[in-house]
Amino acid sequence: MGVISGCLIMPDFIHRFGQGPPGARVLTSSRQSIITSVISAGTFLGSLLQSLTSDRLGRRPSLLIWAAIFTAGIAVQVGTGTALAQLVLGRFVAGLGVGAMSAIVPLYNGETVPRRLRGAMLVMYQLQINFGFLASYVVEQGTHTIRGSASWRSPIGLQLLWGLVLLSGMFFLPESPRHLLFLAYSSSTSPSESKYASRARRVVAQMNGVPADDALVDDVLAELQYGIKAENEGGRAGWAECFSRNARLGYRTVNGMMLQGLQQINGQNFYCDNFELVVTDYYGDTFFQSAGAPLSPYSIQTILGVVSVVGTLPSLVLIETFGRRNSLLTGAALQAAFALIAGLVGHFTLAAPHTRPTQRNKEGGGVLIAFAVLQVFAFSASWGPAPWVYVGESFPLRVRSRCIALAVATNWVWNFLGSFFAPRIAARIGPLILLIFCGILVFAFGYVYLFIPETKGLRLEEVDEMYRSGVKPWNSYSWRPSLFEKPREEPREAGDGKEEELDGCDSLGREEEGKVEVEEQQVVR
């Protein structure tokens, strides 16, 4: 995503894929549009198709399949000479992989990592996205001056490295234990005797760094089995259930789609995605050129890429201490204020297009740049990672892949609409476009306050319980789960705190429960 905008203004790229006589070729607006937007078509389709593979084949095999598809799409792009159709086809195929993995990765992380690390791990997902953008900017900063096709083949070709890293690395990672337990309950054999249950035990032990027979593994598996059985009594579900009233699934799905959509149209993408494109006549003069800034578009994007990465780092801690809901509310308020100031300052102080900036114009441009940096930083610490955390932990297992697919597909739709329309709007009203983003952020603040609950510190099954309880989002801070109260209390009452006695009491408790169940069945008969 970060590579292509820089390629569009490279001379050799324009010469190969532009139109016109040799030496005077131009990359027309229609060709720019098809090159940049075709990946959005692929990501949208891929984010929906992944639900089929991740449910039927598993999370880990799906990541391997879609990583291979992405890598093939990159190879097609690198191998093209002057064929625009081949370039477009390669971007579409790569987009399928990007869209699918953008849904499976938060799904896999949310289901696999221990609860205490889940929020930070999902934030790490956004951090790596920002690092990827920064890497693309740095590479293009170094290659855009190279003569010949190496200027654009190098940044595009280096994407093969990331595909191969994911392909090879996934062989060393396990399947999601929740998915394995779901398969165990879906199989014809007893869940405790199923091969999937034994695999789930090994995964839980591996991810917690303890032996498979450790008491911690027994406790985690007991909680997972209890929660999965409770939330999946209806079995596998179709797409329609994502919007049903059952367990407030429609409410949750709409929340995920709204957060992902608002993430893409709150202004941050306008700063980070359009600086190379806006230097062309088609997109008009960039704000920073009007401000008299001496930096090239490549340098500006590199700076903002660094800000995005640095801004995400505090969220690794804040997402678990400050919370998801508070991060979204604070981020929306700060970004709205920054966008309002930047929009007004830019409108009243920047130089008109194609005019030489005065000292006042340069001072106004400095203010605009400062608040652009602040807005990118605030986004990276809040609205960048928090929506991914939310969609990774808000849905019951039987519909989780489908609900996440709908949310991520919404992300890609609004990503396309924002990148397609924002430069055109900016060409007409200039910096006042930031006031539109300010209005969107004010709406986002209100939406989060009214509809988004706090899920910090809850198991995935407890998140499901919270939604079923119907607690108001503004009261969710004080809500306490009860789903696992009995499994926690029984060992504590029987044991004295030692792991050996806890294991024995746990086994004794299970035997007594089995006797009670047999007696109850006899009474019923």
Side-chain angles (χ1 to χ4, degrees), residues 97-147:
V98 171
M101 291 186 289
S102 67
I104 303 175
V105 169
L107 171 66
Y108 177 83
N109 286 349
E111 290 185 349
T112 305
V113 300
R115 174 167 52 106
R116 67 184 183 276
L117 301 176
R118 189 177 68 233
M121 190 63 68
L122 291 171
V123 171
M124 186 69 73
Y125 171 63
Q126 177 66 25
L127 177 63
Q128 295 293 358
I129 290 175
N130 290 339
F131 177 79
F133 275 101
L134 175 59
S136 69
Y137 301 154
V138 171
V139 169
E140 290 185 330
Q141 177 79 3
T143 66
H144 76 278
T145 57
I146 298 176
R147 292 185 178 182

Side-chain angles (χ1 to χ4, degrees), residues 364-419:
V367 174
L368 173 60
I369 293 173
F371 279 95
V373 170
L374 288 173
Q375 184 168 350
V376 171
F377 185 91
F379 172 88
S380 301
S382 57
W383 277 84
W388 292 111
V389 176
Y390 182 87
V391 300
E393 63 185 13
S394 293
F395 307 109
L397 185 61
R398 70 179 182 277
V399 293
R400 186 170 294 147
S401 65
R402 288 177 170 84
C403 291
I404 291 179
L406 291 169
V408 174
T410 304
N411 179 293
W412 290 116
V413 168
W414 283 105
N415 178 282
F416 166 73
L417 293 175
S419 62

Side-chain angles (χ1 to χ4, degrees), residues 323-399:
R324 286 77 155 139
R325 177 180 163 91
N326 287 334
S327 294
L328 290 169
L329 290 172
T330 304
L334 290 175
Q335 288 184 81
F338 297 152
L340 177 64
I341 295 172
L344 293 177
V345 169
H347 177 70
F348 289 109
T349 64
L350 289 191
H354 308 294
T355 61
R356 189 172 184 177
T358 65
Q359 183 61 31
R360 180 175 179 272
N361 299 145
K362 293 180 180 180
E363 292 172 354
V367 174
L368 173 60
I369 293 173
F371 279 95
V373 170
L374 288 173
Q375 184 168 350
V376 171
F377 185 91
F379 172 88
S380 301
S382 57
W383 277 84
W388 292 111
V389 176
Y390 182 87
V391 300
E393 63 185 13
S394 293
F395 307 109
L397 185 61
R398 70 179 182 277
V399 293

Side-chain angles (χ1 to χ4, degrees), residues 10-52:
M10 293 180 179
D12 187 80
F13 190 89
I14 296 174
H15 172 73
R16 289 173 180 269
F17 303 107
Q19 290 179 310
R25 289 182 176 272
V26 294
L27 203 59
T28 62
S29 59
S30 60
R31 293 202 169 198
Q32 285 187 13
S33 179
I34 189 62
I35 292 172
T36 56
S37 63
V38 68
I39 195 171
S40 297
T43 53
F44 173 78
L45 187 59
S47 62
L48 295 176
L49 291 176
Q50 63 77 28
S51 66
L52 303 178

Side-chain angles (χ1 to χ4, degrees), residues 78-95:
V78 174
T80 186
T82 58
L84 179 64
Q86 182 177 342
L87 178 70
V88 170
L89 175 63
R91 283 183 58 76
F92 176 79
V93 173

